[in-house]
Amino acid sequence: MKDFTYTALPSRVVFGPGKLATVADEVAAIGATRALVLCTPQQRAQAEQVAALLGDRLAGIHDGAEMHVPIESARKARTLARDLDADCAVAVGGGSTIGLGKAIALDSALPIIAIPTTYAGSEMTPVYGITENGIKTTGKDVRVLPKSVIYDPELTCSLPVGMSLVSGMNAIAHAAEGLYAKDGNPVMSLIAEEGIRALAAGMPVLRDNPEDVAARSQCLYGAWLCGTVLGHVGMALHHKLCHTLGGSFNLPHAETHTIILPHALAYNSPAVPDAMSRIARAIGADDGPTGLYALAGQLGVPTALRDLGVAETELDRACDIALSNPYWNPRTIDAAPLRGLLQRAWEGAAPRP
Ligand code: NAD
């Protein structure tokens, strides 16, 4: 076993169908009395449900959350929180809405209660991202970590099935890279393997019956575990590649993760065979990367970058961008195999080490 240092992040989780009803208790437990509820315009109805449950602990609703947290939207929300004299934010939604809560907390240390409705995992991390002049800057600050997280699987039933499945694959990506993280540890590896197992078991059921609360619970449980891994250890090739591709070609976040994952894992597989065995075991396959590629095929999620509108002629540029910003990875990142990875991901071909 390799040496490790493990620092656990503080975390409080309330999990279960119907647990949204505890939101006023969670607000009271952190000593807050005036909660600002955050959401996107699309999730206004869920935010109103939260607002009704908060009763006299409600300061207001702000439905201005947007993808990638533009600085203007962060400033607007910060001003509103101050004007309303809010003493906590309740973010109900996916990574974009929780990201808006984090942007407020970064500025004012306002405590956040997160109610995640996707599988992205932001609620378990101290990582924030803000976009200014088209460039997304990310950073780490423990003040943005939610004080309490309510996971209510019933709230995820309204997430369209296609979005649910790519969001689940996005979550698996956090755990898969956590299994070979430079700063990994045995506790995170246990959590990662169980997170992958839960999502891989839940997603096929969810695909056929999106309102199956047991399957939704499995997936949200898996998302919690995968998000925990993302919050504790560093990521590598897969996440960096998705970040550069997403930013440079304006690609949808979860779909990009879904397509790249089997290929990035196949690239790294010769360097980290133990991690690959654990992924394979978690999904009940002989091989991790090809097993995940087969799972994607079974779920009917996107498997080719060309289907996201990337032109084949842009792959050389994508490769150059990915190589221009070096970072740690278990296998050295070289131009020729990376270009091959991108080609296969573009075509939707099977992954190859
Ligand atoms: P999202 O938050 O952008 O949500 C996508 C859309 O789905 C939104 O319109 C939202 O309102 C809607 N939606 C969400 N849940 C719904 C539900 N249950 N029913 C109906 N509609 C619903 O998507 P996401 O994938 O959760 O988050 C992606 C963003 O989060 C990216 O910007 C990513 O960078 C960020 N992220 C950050 C971290 C972190 O640690 N900071 C981690 C993961 C993701």
Side-chain angles (χ1 to χ4, degrees):
M1 184 183 290
K2 73 174 176 119
D3 299 351
F4 63 89
T5 303
Y6 169 43
T7 308
L9 291 167
S11 165
R12 173 176 164 85
V13 166
V14 179
F15 190 102
K19 289 294 182 188
L20 181 65
T22 66
V23 64
D25 295 340
E26 290 306 302
V27 168
I30 60 168
T33 55
R34 291 184 59 75
L36 174 61
V37 179
L38 304 173
C39 63
T40 61
Q42 294 83 352
Q43 287 182 275
R44 177 89 200 184
Q46 281 178 333
E48 279 169 3
Q49 207 184 337
V50 173
L53 288 163
L54 285 172
D56 59 9
R57 288 186 193 271
L58 176 74
I61 299 180
H62 176 55
D63 65 4
E66 289 177 54
M67 187 95 132
H68 302 308
V69 195
I71 185 74
E72 302 74 27
S73 94
R75 288 193 182 119
K76 202 168 162 188
R78 287 167 178 169
T79 305
L80 185 68
R82 262 193 303 273
D83 290 352
L84 290 173
D85 203 17
D87 57 7
C88 86
V90 176
V92 56
S96 299
T97 303
I98 294 167
L100 181 62
K102 287 177 166 183
I104 304 175
L106 186 67
D107 177 60
S108 61
L110 197 75
I112 307 168
I113 292 175
I115 309 178
T117 62
T118 70
Y119 307 133
S122 176
E123 66 282 356
M124 299 311 294
T125 86
V127 178
Y128 60 87
I130 297 179
T131 305
E132 189 163 13
N133 298 326
I135 296 168
K136 188 167 181 174
T137 310
T138 58
K140 231 181 192 182
D141 191 319
V142 82
R143 286 185 308 168
V144 309
L145 185 72
K147 297 285 176 283
S148 169
V149 179
I150 302 174
Y151 284 108
D152 186 336
E154 286 175 357
L155 294 178
T156 61
C157 287
S158 56
L159 187 65
V161 70
M163 281 174 73
S164 302
L165 298 174
V166 291
S167 191
M169 294 299 280
N170 181 193
I172 287 180
H174 309 328
E177 286 224 294
L179 282 167
Y180 54 66
K182 189 182 178 192
D183 54 353
N185 65 70
V187 175
M188 281 307 127
S189 292
L190 286 172
I191 293 178
E193 191 175 332
E194 172 66 358
I196 297 171
R197 187 208 58 74
L199 277 155
M203 284 197 290
V205 184
L206 183 161
R207 184 206 50 192
D208 295 335
N209 188 357
E211 301 209 353
D212 182 325
V213 174
R216 287 284 182 185
S217 298
Q218 274 278 307
C219 290
L220 198 56
Y221 162 64
W224 164 42
L225 300 180
C226 294
T228 300
V229 176
L230 180 68
H232 282 84
V233 300
M235 299 286 115
L237 175 67
H238 170 76
H239 279 74
K240 304 288 178 187
L241 208 47
C242 291
H243 191 84
T244 33
L245 283 172
S248 309
F249 298 96
N250 196 23
L251 303 181
H253 176 82
E255 285 82 350
T256 309
H257 273 271
T258 302
I259 294 167
I260 296 292
L261 184 62
H263 303 282
L265 294 179
Y267 185 101
N268 282 338
S269 63
V272 284
D274 289 352
M276 295 304 137
S277 305
R278 293 185 80 148
I279 294 168
R281 187 166 66 195
I283 61 177
D286 293 335
D287 175 73
T290 49
L292 285 172
Y293 179 74
L295 177 66
Q298 181 196 352
L299 296 174
V301 292
T303 52
L305 282 179
R306 66 173 156 203
D307 294 339
L308 299 187
V310 179
E312 191 172 14
T313 50
E314 287 179 317
L315 294 181
D316 285 338
R317 185 165 73 92
C319 191
D320 290 344
I321 297 171
L323 286 167
S324 66
N325 181 9
Y327 45 85
W328 180 86
N329 190 59
R331 179 182 164 193
T332 315
I333 299 171
D334 293 319
L338 183 65
R339 182 63 180 77
L341 178 168
L342 288 169
Q343 185 68 35
R344 283 188 291 283
W346 184 81
E347 290 169 5
R352 213 165 353 110

